[in-house]
Amino acid sequence: MNRMISLTTLATAALLSACSSVGERGAMASGPMATATLEPTRGNTAAGTVTFQQVGDRVLVTAKVSGLKPNQEHGMHVHEKGDCSSGDGMSTGGHFNPDAKPHGPQGGDHHAGDMPALTADANGNANASFQLTGVSVGGGAADLVGHGLIVHAAPDDYKTQPTGNSGARIACGVVKLS
């Protein structure tokens, strides 16, 4: 019986130690956060919030967007300039691309601003969570902070250079440290 209690005590201590270590590593791995508040461009209804958090060498992206075309994919990209003043989103310039790479999906060569598409449900709402590589929040050449975030009217084909043929810019926001 004492041996069973000792084994249980050891197992509990090992489990608590492992949880503590994971918690400490998780806290150390998490870094700065940034947020883009998306507003509709002229004549559109898409709006929402996208957060970016540095987690180790990756950036965790969480998006919540409404006012999209129901049951459709919409391209979403970080653009060069943090300027949504034009009304049509064109003041953000082209895709953010500090390494002069071709446009493409996350699995291959791609612009720093290339991201997975948003998929709207039957009510025109999209909730997405994914990780990006090759970018950062709050420092370095591929820092997303200060750049424009655009949601497009159409899906990204991940082939057409340099834009992905994603159509009109239906929502615009600026990525800001939060």
Side-chain angles (χ1 to χ4, degrees):
M1 184 71 155
N2 283 341
R3 182 177 169 104
M4 184 184 287
I5 291 172
S6 294
L7 288 176
T8 303
T9 302
L10 279 173
T12 302
L15 182 60
L16 288 173
S17 174
C19 290
S20 172
S21 296
V22 168
E24 289 170 12
R25 278 194 303 269
M28 289 182 355
S30 294
M33 287 188 69
T35 303
T37 301
L38 295 167
E39 299 290 336
T41 57
R42 190 172 38 248
N44 294 294
T45 59
T49 304
V50 181
T51 60
F52 302 85
Q53 181 168 20
Q54 189 76 47
V55 179
D57 64 350
R58 297 175 183 262
V59 172
L60 175 63
V61 180
T62 305
K64 185 172 184 173
V65 182
S66 62
L68 301 168
K69 183 173 181 182
N71 299 314
Q72 180 176 306
E73 280 191 4
H74 295 268
M76 183 169 66
H77 307 105
V78 175
H79 285 248
E80 297 171 323
K81 301 173 190 165
D83 178 5
C84 294
S85 65
S86 64
D88 61 1
M90 295 303 288
S91 53
T92 60
H95 292 183
F96 177 47
N97 190 14
D99 296 326
K101 292 187 177 184
H103 177 70
Q106 286 292 305
D109 275 346
H110 61 278
H111 299 157
D114 291 341
M115 294 195 285
L118 293 174
T119 303
D121 64 17
N123 296 313
N125 299 314
N127 293 301
S129 183
F130 51 86
Q131 292 183 20
L132 300 175
T133 59
V135 295
S136 64
V137 175
D143 184 2
L144 300 172
V145 175
H147 295 279
L149 180 65
I150 295 289
V151 175
H152 293 272
D156 188 329
D157 67 13
Y158 296 107
K159 296 175 190 168
T160 304
Q161 298 299 325
T163 63
N165 198 29
S166 295
R169 301 173 185 203
I170 62 172
C172 186
V174 178
V175 181
K176 298 177 182 178
L177 281 176
S178 47

PDB file of all heavy atoms in Angstrom, residues 35-61:
ATOM      1  N   THR A  35      -3.344  44.074 -33.757  1.00  0.00           N
ATOM      2  CA  THR A  35      -4.743  43.935 -34.183  1.00  0.00           C
ATOM      3  C   THR A  35      -5.006  44.828 -35.389  1.00  0.00           C
ATOM      4  O   THR A  35      -4.496  45.940 -35.458  1.00  0.00           O
ATOM      5  CB  THR A  35      -5.692  44.345 -33.044  1.00  0.00           C
ATOM      6  OG1 THR A  35      -5.406  43.555 -31.894  1.00  0.00           O
ATOM      7  CG2 THR A  35      -7.144  44.164 -33.434  1.00  0.00           C
ATOM      8  N   ALA A  36      -5.795  44.320 -36.313  1.00  0.00           N
ATOM      9  CA  ALA A  36      -6.299  45.129 -37.429  1.00  0.00           C
ATOM     10  C   ALA A  36      -7.818  45.148 -37.316  1.00  0.00           C
ATOM     11  O   ALA A  36      -8.454  44.090 -37.281  1.00  0.00           O
ATOM     12  CB  ALA A  36      -5.878  44.547 -38.765  1.00  0.00           C
ATOM     13  N   THR A  37      -8.380  46.330 -37.232  1.00  0.00           N
ATOM     14  CA  THR A  37      -9.831  46.486 -37.239  1.00  0.00           C
ATOM     15  C   THR A  37     -10.235  46.771 -38.677  1.00  0.00           C
ATOM     16  O   THR A  37      -9.883  47.812 -39.237  1.00  0.00           O
ATOM     17  CB  THR A  37     -10.260  47.631 -36.306  1.00  0.00           C
ATOM     18  OG1 THR A  37      -9.795  47.340 -34.987  1.00  0.00           O
ATOM     19  CG2 THR A  37     -11.774  47.793 -36.305  1.00  0.00           C
ATOM     20  N   LEU A  38     -10.935  45.825 -39.274  1.00  0.00           N
ATOM     21  CA  LEU A  38     -11.344  45.938 -40.678  1.00  0.00           C
ATOM     22  C   LEU A  38     -12.628  46.752 -40.799  1.00  0.00           C
ATOM     23  O   LEU A  38     -13.604  46.494 -40.097  1.00  0.00           O
ATOM     24  CB  LEU A  38     -11.567  44.553 -41.278  1.00  0.00           C
ATOM     25  CG  LEU A  38     -10.339  43.667 -41.390  1.00  0.00           C
ATOM     26  CD1 LEU A  38     -10.748  42.233 -41.690  1.00  0.00           C
ATOM     27  CD2 LEU A  38      -9.398  44.194 -42.453  1.00  0.00           C
ATOM     28  N   GLU A  39     -12.601  47.716 -41.692  1.00  0.00           N
ATOM     29  CA  GLU A  39     -13.776  48.533 -42.009  1.00  0.00           C
ATOM     30  C   GLU A  39     -14.117  48.295 -43.477  1.00  0.00           C
ATOM     31  O   GLU A  39     -13.225  48.071 -44.304  1.00  0.00           O
ATOM     32  CB  GLU A  39     -13.471  50.014 -41.791  1.00  0.00           C
ATOM     33  CG  GLU A  39     -13.108  50.368 -40.358  1.00  0.00           C
ATOM     34  CD  GLU A  39     -14.280  50.281 -39.393  1.00  0.00           C
ATOM     35  OE1 GLU A  39     -15.434  50.402 -39.858  1.00  0.00           O
ATOM     36  OE2 GLU A  39     -14.043  50.077 -38.193  1.00  0.00           O
ATOM     37  N   PRO A  40     -15.411  48.354 -43.833  1.00  0.00           N
ATOM     38  CA  PRO A  40     -15.776  48.140 -45.231  1.00  0.00           C
ATOM     39  C   PRO A  40     -15.231  49.247 -46.136  1.00  0.00           C
ATOM     40  O   PRO A  40     -15.184  50.406 -45.743  1.00  0.00           O
ATOM     41  CB  PRO A  40     -17.297  48.149 -45.230  1.00  0.00           C
ATOM     42  CG  PRO A  40     -17.722  48.674 -43.918  1.00  0.00           C
ATOM     43  CD  PRO A  40     -16.567  48.609 -42.981  1.00  0.00           C
ATOM     44  N   THR A  41     -14.809  48.864 -47.319  1.00  0.00           N
ATOM     45  CA  THR A  41     -14.468  49.865 -48.324  1.00  0.00           C
ATOM     46  C   THR A  41     -15.778  50.362 -48.926  1.00  0.00           C
ATOM     47  O   THR A  41     -16.848  49.771 -48.720  1.00  0.00           O
ATOM     48  CB  THR A  41     -13.540  49.278 -49.412  1.00  0.00           C
ATOM     49  OG1 THR A  41     -14.179  48.151 -50.001  1.00  0.00           O
ATOM     50  CG2 THR A  41     -12.186  48.882 -48.842  1.00  0.00           C
ATOM     51  N   ARG A  42     -15.705  51.447 -49.677  1.00  0.00           N
ATOM     52  CA  ARG A  42     -16.883  52.092 -50.254  1.00  0.00           C
ATOM     53  C   ARG A  42     -17.773  51.090 -50.992  1.00  0.00           C
ATOM     54  O   ARG A  42     -17.325  50.345 -51.844  1.00  0.00           O
ATOM     55  CB  ARG A  42     -16.408  53.190 -51.203  1.00  0.00           C
ATOM     56  CG  ARG A  42     -17.454  54.115 -51.704  1.00  0.00           C
ATOM     57  CD  ARG A  42     -16.893  55.297 -52.493  1.00  0.00           C
ATOM     58  NE  ARG A  42     -15.753  54.961 -53.358  1.00  0.00           N
ATOM     59  CZ  ARG A  42     -14.501  55.385 -53.152  1.00  0.00           C
ATOM     60  NH1 ARG A  42     -14.208  56.154 -52.138  1.00  0.00           N
ATOM     61  NH2 ARG A  42     -13.535  55.030 -53.978  1.00  0.00           N
ATOM     62  N   GLY A  43     -19.057  51.039 -50.593  1.00  0.00           N
ATOM     63  CA  GLY A  43     -20.041  50.175 -51.240  1.00  0.00           C
ATOM     64  C   GLY A  43     -20.054  48.737 -50.752  1.00  0.00           C
ATOM     65  O   GLY A  43     -20.789  47.915 -51.289  1.00  0.00           O
ATOM     66  N   ASN A  44     -19.268  48.424 -49.737  1.00  0.00           N
ATOM     67  CA  ASN A  44     -19.189  47.046 -49.230  1.00  0.00           C
ATOM     68  C   ASN A  44     -19.628  46.992 -47.770  1.00  0.00           C
ATOM     69  O   ASN A  44     -19.828  48.026 -47.133  1.00  0.00           O
ATOM     70  CB  ASN A  44     -17.767  46.516 -49.397  1.00  0.00           C
ATOM     71  CG  ASN A  44     -17.403  46.373 -50.857  1.00  0.00           C
ATOM     72  OD1 ASN A  44     -17.972  45.559 -51.565  1.00  0.00           O
ATOM     73  ND2 ASN A  44     -16.470  47.192 -51.319  1.00  0.00           N
ATOM     74  N   THR A  45     -19.790  45.766 -47.257  1.00  0.00           N
ATOM     75  CA  THR A  45     -20.258  45.594 -45.877  1.00  0.00           C
ATOM     76  C   THR A  45     -19.311  44.786 -45.001  1.00  0.00           C
ATOM     77  O   THR A  45     -19.582  44.617 -43.816  1.00  0.00           O
ATOM     78  CB  THR A  45     -21.642  44.907 -45.861  1.00  0.00           C
ATOM     79  OG1 THR A  45     -21.524  43.631 -46.505  1.00  0.00           O
ATOM     80  CG2 THR A  45     -22.687  45.754 -46.565  1.00  0.00           C
ATOM     81  N   ALA A  46     -18.230  44.269 -45.547  1.00  0.00           N
ATOM     82  CA  ALA A  46     -17.316  43.415 -44.779  1.00  0.00           C
ATOM     83  C   ALA A  46     -16.612  44.221 -43.693  1.00  0.00           C
ATOM     84  O   ALA A  46     -16.119  45.319 -43.930  1.00  0.00           O
ATOM     85  CB  ALA A  46     -16.292  42.764 -45.699  1.00  0.00           C
ATOM     86  N   ALA A  47     -16.592  43.668 -42.493  1.00  0.00           N
ATOM     87  CA  ALA A  47     -15.936  44.314 -41.355  1.00  0.00           C
ATOM     88  C   ALA A  47     -15.554  43.236 -40.347  1.00  0.00           C
ATOM     89  O   ALA A  47     -16.107  42.141 -40.358  1.00  0.00           O
ATOM     90  CB  ALA A  47     -16.869  45.336 -40.704  1.00  0.00           C
ATOM     91  N   GLY A  48     -14.610  43.558 -39.475  1.00  0.00           N
ATOM     92  CA  GLY A  48     -14.234  42.586 -38.447  1.00  0.00           C
ATOM     93  C   GLY A  48     -12.928  42.925 -37.772  1.00  0.00           C
ATOM     94  O   GLY A  48     -12.414  44.041 -37.888  1.00  0.00           O
ATOM     95  N   THR A  49     -12.395  41.937 -37.087  1.00  0.00           N
ATOM     96  CA  THR A  49     -11.163  42.094 -36.334  1.00  0.00           C
ATOM     97  C   THR A  49     -10.248  40.914 -36.616  1.00  0.00           C
ATOM     98  O   THR A  49     -10.694  39.763 -36.639  1.00  0.00           O
ATOM     99  CB  THR A  49     -11.459  42.157 -34.820  1.00  0.00           C
ATOM    100  OG1 THR A  49     -12.378  43.219 -34.580  1.00  0.00           O
ATOM    101  CG2 THR A  49     -10.197  42.390 -34.014  1.00  0.00           C
ATOM    102  N   VAL A  50      -8.964  41.222 -36.815  1.00  0.00           N
ATOM    103  CA  VAL A  50      -7.959  40.179 -37.025  1.00  0.00           C
ATOM    104  C   VAL A  50      -6.830  40.458 -36.041  1.00  0.00           C
ATOM    105  O   VAL A  50      -6.316  41.578 -35.981  1.00  0.00           O
ATOM    106  CB  VAL A  50      -7.423  40.169 -38.466  1.00  0.00           C
ATOM    107  CG1 VAL A  50      -6.400  39.062 -38.659  1.00  0.00           C
ATOM    108  CG2 VAL A  50      -8.576  40.002 -39.467  1.00  0.00           C
ATOM    109  N   THR A  51      -6.461  39.439 -35.252  1.00  0.00           N
ATOM    110  CA  THR A  51      -5.361  39.589 -34.305  1.00  0.00           C
ATOM    111  C   THR A  51      -4.170  38.759 -34.764  1.00  0.00           C
ATOM    112  O   THR A  51      -4.329  37.716 -35.401  1.00  0.00           O
ATOM    113  CB  THR A  51      -5.750  39.174 -32.876  1.00  0.00           C
ATOM    114  OG1 THR A  51      -6.139  37.807 -32.879  1.00  0.00           O
ATOM    115  CG2 THR A  51      -6.876  40.029 -32.350  1.00  0.00           C
ATOM    116  N   PHE A  52      -2.998  39.252 -34.414  1.00  0.00           N
ATOM    117  CA  PHE A  52      -1.732  38.604 -34.756  1.00  0.00           C
ATOM    118  C   PHE A  52      -0.927  38.495 -33.465  1.00  0.00           C
ATOM    119  O   PHE A  52      -0.741  39.498 -32.776  1.00  0.00           O
ATOM    120  CB  PHE A  52      -0.943  39.469 -35.752  1.00  0.00           C
ATOM    121  CG  PHE A  52      -1.672  39.753 -37.031  1.00  0.00           C
ATOM    122  CD1 PHE A  52      -2.563  40.813 -37.113  1.00  0.00           C
ATOM    123  CD2 PHE A  52      -1.459  38.977 -38.160  1.00  0.00           C
ATOM    124  CE1 PHE A  52      -3.232  41.093 -38.297  1.00  0.00           C
ATOM    125  CE2 PHE A  52      -2.123  39.244 -39.342  1.00  0.00           C
ATOM    126  CZ  PHE A  52      -3.016  40.304 -39.415  1.00  0.00           C
ATOM    127  N   GLN A  53      -0.468  37.291 -33.123  1.00  0.00           N
ATOM    128  CA  GLN A  53       0.361  37.143 -31.933  1.00  0.00           C
ATOM    129  C   GLN A  53       1.603  36.334 -32.257  1.00  0.00           C
ATOM    130  O   GLN A  53       1.516  35.246 -32.849  1.00  0.00           O
ATOM    131  CB  GLN A  53      -0.378  36.475 -30.784  1.00  0.00           C
ATOM    132  CG  GLN A  53       0.529  36.373 -29.556  1.00  0.00           C
ATOM    133  CD  GLN A  53      -0.189  35.987 -28.303  1.00  0.00           C
ATOM    134  OE1 GLN A  53      -1.271  35.437 -28.332  1.00  0.00           O
ATOM    135  NE2 GLN A  53       0.421  36.279 -27.165  1.00  0.00           N
ATOM    136  N   GLN A  54       2.744  36.883 -31.872  1.00  0.00           N
ATOM    137  CA  GLN A  54       4.011  36.184 -32.045  1.00  0.00           C
ATOM    138  C   GLN A  54       4.050  35.024 -31.060  1.00  0.00           C
ATOM    139  O   GLN A  54       3.871  35.212 -29.853  1.00  0.00           O
ATOM    140  CB  GLN A  54       5.178  37.140 -31.770  1.00  0.00           C
ATOM    141  CG  GLN A  54       6.521  36.574 -32.139  1.00  0.00           C
ATOM    142  CD  GLN A  54       6.749  36.580 -33.645  1.00  0.00           C
ATOM    143  OE1 GLN A  54       6.497  37.575 -34.312  1.00  0.00           O
ATOM    144  NE2 GLN A  54       7.229  35.470 -34.170  1.00  0.00           N
ATOM    145  N   VAL A  55       4.270  33.819 -31.556  1.00  0.00           N
ATOM    146  CA  VAL A  55       4.399  32.632 -30.722  1.00  0.00           C
ATOM    147  C   VAL A  55       5.628  31.889 -31.242  1.00  0.00           C
ATOM    148  O   VAL A  55       5.558  31.217 -32.281  1.00  0.00           O
ATOM    149  CB  VAL A  55       3.141  31.735 -30.784  1.00  0.00           C
ATOM    150  CG1 VAL A  55       3.317  30.499 -29.915  1.00  0.00           C
ATOM    151  CG2 VAL A  55       1.900  32.507 -30.357  1.00  0.00           C
ATOM    152  N   GLY A  56       6.746  32.062 -30.562  1.00  0.00           N
ATOM    153  CA  GLY A  56       7.996  31.487 -31.044  1.00  0.00           C
ATOM    154  C   GLY A  56       8.376  32.128 -32.366  1.00  0.00           C
ATOM    155  O   GLY A  56       8.356  33.353 -32.494  1.00  0.00           O
ATOM    156  N   ASP A  57       8.654  31.303 -33.373  1.00  0.00           N
ATOM    157  CA  ASP A  57       9.024  31.841 -34.689  1.00  0.00           C
ATOM    158  C   ASP A  57       7.845  31.926 -35.651  1.00  0.00           C
ATOM    159  O   ASP A  57       8.013  32.141 -36.845  1.00  0.00           O
ATOM    160  CB  ASP A  57      10.161  31.011 -35.303  1.00  0.00           C
ATOM    161  CG  ASP A  57       9.760  29.568 -35.590  1.00  0.00           C
ATOM    162  OD1 ASP A  57       8.667  29.136 -35.145  1.00  0.00           O
ATOM    163  OD2 ASP A  57      10.537  28.856 -36.252  1.00  0.00           O
ATOM    164  N   ARG A  58       6.649  31.774 -35.127  1.00  0.00           N
ATOM    165  CA  ARG A  58       5.432  31.843 -35.942  1.00  0.00           C
ATOM    166  C   ARG A  58       4.525  32.958 -35.442  1.00  0.00           C
ATOM    167  O   ARG A  58       4.668  33.423 -34.325  1.00  0.00           O
ATOM    168  CB  ARG A  58       4.679  30.517 -35.896  1.00  0.00           C
ATOM    169  CG  ARG A  58       5.473  29.375 -36.480  1.00  0.00           C
ATOM    170  CD  ARG A  58       4.747  28.051 -36.305  1.00  0.00           C
ATOM    171  NE  ARG A  58       5.541  26.969 -36.798  1.00  0.00           N
ATOM    172  CZ  ARG A  58       5.400  26.421 -38.003  1.00  0.00           C
ATOM    173  NH1 ARG A  58       4.458  26.871 -38.815  1.00  0.00           N
ATOM    174  NH2 ARG A  58       6.178  25.438 -38.399  1.00  0.00           N
ATOM    175  N   VAL A  59       3.572  33.334 -36.285  1.00  0.00           N
ATOM    176  CA  VAL A  59       2.561  34.309 -35.883  1.00  0.00           C
ATOM    177  C   VAL A  59       1.196  33.627 -35.957  1.00  0.00           C
ATOM    178  O   VAL A  59       0.810  33.097 -37.007  1.00  0.00           O
ATOM    179  CB  VAL A  59       2.600  35.560 -36.788  1.00  0.00           C
ATOM    180  CG1 VAL A  59       1.427  36.483 -36.479  1.00  0.00           C
ATOM    181  CG2 VAL A  59       3.926  36.296 -36.612  1.00  0.00           C
ATOM    182  N   LEU A  60       0.497  33.611 -34.832  1.00  0.00           N
ATOM    183  CA  LEU A  60      -0.852  33.055 -34.764  1.00  0.00           C
ATOM    184  C   LEU A  60      -1.828  34.141 -35.178  1.00  0.00           C
ATOM    185  O   LEU A  60      -1.808  35.245 -34.624  1.00  0.00           O
ATOM    186  CB  LEU A  60      -1.171  32.570 -33.353  1.00  0.00           C
ATOM    187  CG  LEU A  60      -2.588  32.068 -33.119  1.00  0.00           C
ATOM    188  CD1 LEU A  60      -2.879  30.840 -33.967  1.00  0.00           C
ATOM    189  CD2 LEU A  60      -2.809  31.752 -31.657  1.00  0.00           C
ATOM    190  N   VAL A  61      -2.671  33.833 -36.163  1.00  0.00           N
ATOM    191  CA  VAL A  61      -3.648  34.783 -36.684  1.00  0.00           C
ATOM    192  C   VAL A  61      -5.050  34.277 -36.336  1.00  0.00           C
ATOM    193  O   VAL A  61      -5.360  33.110 -36.566  1.00  0.00           O
ATOM    194  CB  VAL A  61      -3.518  34.932 -38.222  1.00  0.00           C
ATOM    195  CG1 VAL A  61      -4.540  35.923 -38.752  1.00  0.00           C
ATOM    196  CG2 VAL A  61      -2.106  35.335 -38.602  1.00  0.00           C
TER     197      VAL A  61
END
